Amino acid sequence: LWRFDPVGPAYMVAAIGVATVVLLYKFLKDTVGFWPAIMVSALYATAPLIVRYSRSSWNPNPLPFFALLLIYFLYLGIKKQKYIYFLFAGAAFGVCVQLHYLATILLALAGAIIAINTNYRRWALTFLFSTLGFLITFSPFLLFEIKNDFPNFQTILEFVTRGNTVGYKSANYFWIISNVGNIFLEEITKIRATPITRIIFWTLAAGSIWGLIKNWKNEKKLFFSLVVIWFIGGLIGLRSYAGQIFDYYFGFMFPAPFIAAAATFSLVLQHKLARTIPVVLTIVGITYFVANGFWRFPPNRLLNQTSTVADFLIEKSENQPFNFALITDSNSDHAYRYFLDIKGHKPVELETLVTEQLMVVCE
């Protein structure tokens, strides 16, 4: 579709990123109303980390959309008591685990949401439909694993069980949740080394828990339990991984703090004297996010640079066969080879033939 432009897949990821904002708005409008939905969706759409991972092609980048889709279908399945939604939820999970291994945590979270909000008599059929949906989207991956002696399954097992000196050794889960939650919000907002993110975390956590307690015996229990399990339970699950945590490891729960914000906003908006607080916080948040967005920094023009180097190599080769090599500290020669290939001057592999020319790019 994009005529072999390497940016093409990034447009797909960007489209999925926009769809995530729309889905978030739809979900929140259905659960807490228009104003919390529109305010929180605007915050999500401008958050620096969210934008950063919504504009380039990489396996984990579409994960927030499919994780949110999983949660939304669980909500619909429980609320409407229709098993077809659990089929869709299982299908969404089948995609999630292929985008990043830590998305396996969603399985435990989904199980907790179902256990708390459905009658145990419905668990068997819920599990059956969810598993069927999972197998539909997971089957290509599974067939590859069977054919090749399960290389990725071995990697998944090694990844989620590996330990090193970075992981927390404390048994104080109260401190662990607070610490990881603070790191999560620092990454999303890019507000670092201040008490602001820690205050925000505990406000969202307390607001969500209070909402669950307040609505335990009515139909809103489903939404607030979902928020608490995904936001706080996700952090607990993530902290059970003992390795170093990078910002994209939070991808399976990127929407969670924003949904917690919507839950908290919905409680505050019930009090007339406090209704301006969510509005002011949203305006301040969006202003800060936009002021610190990636667009404030000049681009690296890497695509144009690589294409220009390829044109230079083609010119110097004088349409004769050539071998190609790259001198670099850490980069790969794939990008140069890609442009040389689509421009019709694919280098000859050294293993195939040593030609009269060796083109070397030094970075």
Side-chain angles (χ1 to χ4, degrees):
L1 288 175
W2 292 96
R3 301 178 62 83
F4 297 104
D5 186 333
V7 180
Y11 282 97
M12 183 192 71
V13 173
I16 293 174
V18 173
T20 309
V21 179
V22 175
L23 181 61
L24 180 64
Y25 168 78
K26 168 67 176 169
F27 176 45
L28 293 177
K29 186 174 182 293
D30 290 350
T31 51
V32 290
F34 173 78
W35 286 111
I38 199 71
M39 288 188 287
V40 168
S41 297
L43 286 168
Y44 184 88
T46 52
L49 185 69
I50 305 299
V51 175
R52 174 187 167 193
Y53 284 129
S54 298
R55 54 184 293 268
S56 62
S57 179
W58 193 27
N59 291 24
N61 291 6
L63 180 55
F65 174 78
F66 289 99
L68 180 57
L69 200 63
L70 164 63
I71 296 297
Y72 187 40
F73 280 135
L74 284 178
Y75 171 81
L76 292 175
I78 295 170
K79 183 176 177 63
K80 298 186 177 184
Q81 297 188 7
K82 292 184 177 180
Y83 291 109
I84 188 66
Y85 290 114
F86 294 113
L87 180 79
F88 297 147
F93 178 68
V95 177
C96 287
V97 294
Q98 295 177 73
L99 296 174
H100 197 274
Y101 298 151
L102 283 178
T104 52
I105 295 171
L106 287 168
L107 180 62
L109 302 183
I113 292 169
I114 292 169
I116 290 176
N117 291 286
T118 63
N119 188 293
Y120 72 91
R121 293 184 179 90
R122 297 174 58 87
W123 290 357
L125 278 177
T126 299
F127 176 77
L128 180 63
F129 275 82
S130 300
T131 302
L132 179 60
F134 170 76
L135 290 175
I136 290 172
T137 55
F138 194 71
S139 56
F141 181 88
L142 184 60
L143 291 172
F144 175 88
E145 290 297 287
I146 294 171
K147 180 182 177 182
N148 295 280
D149 297 325
F150 300 95
N152 286 290
F153 274 103
Q154 295 176 36
T155 304
I156 292 172
L157 181 63
E158 188 275 332
F159 182 86
V160 298
T161 58
R162 74 174 60 150
N164 58 23
T165 57
V166 181
Y168 291 120
K169 306 302 180 185
S170 172
N172 186 343
Y173 272 84
F174 186 84
W175 176 83
I176 288 174
I177 294 170
S178 174
N179 190 271
V180 179
N182 180 60
I183 293 171
F184 184 20
L185 293 182
E186 280 189 344
E187 295 294 346
I188 283 182
T189 62
K190 299 304 177 185
I191 302 173
R192 303 187 187 279
T194 73
I196 294 175
T197 48
R198 198 171 293 274
I199 293 171
I200 294 173
F201 169 74
W202 281 112
T203 301
L204 298 182
S208 302
I209 293 171
W210 169 242
L212 177 59
I213 295 171
K214 183 180 178 182
N215 295 282
W216 185 259
K217 294 185 178 181
N218 61 45
E219 62 179 12
K220 289 188 176 182
K221 170 194 171 185
L222 170 58
F223 172 71
F224 282 97
S225 64
L226 185 151
V227 174
V228 172
I229 291 170
W230 195 12
F231 185 38
I232 299 177
L235 294 173
I236 294 173
L238 189 64
R239 195 53 272 169
S240 65
Y241 167 67
Q244 182 177 0
I245 295 178
F246 300 97
D247 54 8
Y248 64 91
Y249 282 17
F250 292 101
F252 73 94
M253 54 181 300
F254 274 178
F258 295 91
I259 294 178
T264 305
F265 283 1
S266 70
L267 297 174
V268 175
L269 289 171
Q270 294 175 9
H271 303 279
K272 290 183 178 180
L273 296 177
R275 285 178 179 173
T276 57
I277 295 175
V279 177
V280 171
L281 291 176
T282 300
I283 294 172
V284 170
I286 293 173
T287 303
Y288 177 83
F289 288 166
V290 171
N292 291 274
F294 72 91
W295 49 80
R296 294 182 59 86
F297 304 97
N300 57 24
R301 305 289 181 190
L302 190 58
L303 184 69
N304 294 341
Q305 175 183 304
T306 309
S307 180
T308 301
V309 171
D311 289 335
F312 181 79
L313 294 173
I314 292 169
E315 177 189 341
K316 293 300 178 183
S317 71
E318 298 180 346
N319 289 322
Q320 298 300 312
F322 66 94
N323 301 121
F324 175 68
L326 177 68
I327 300 175
T328 181
D329 285 335
S330 59
N331 202 4
S332 165
D333 65 355
H334 293 163
Y336 298 102
R337 290 182 178 275
Y338 178 80
F339 278 108
L340 290 169
D341 193 355
I342 65 171
K343 292 173 185 288
H345 292 78
K346 184 177 181 179
V348 179
E349 298 290 342
L350 284 166
E351 295 84 357
T352 303
L353 176 68
V354 176
T355 68
E356 295 295 323
Q357 301 185 97
L358 174 63
M359 298 290 182
V360 181
V361 171
C362 178
E363 293 188 342

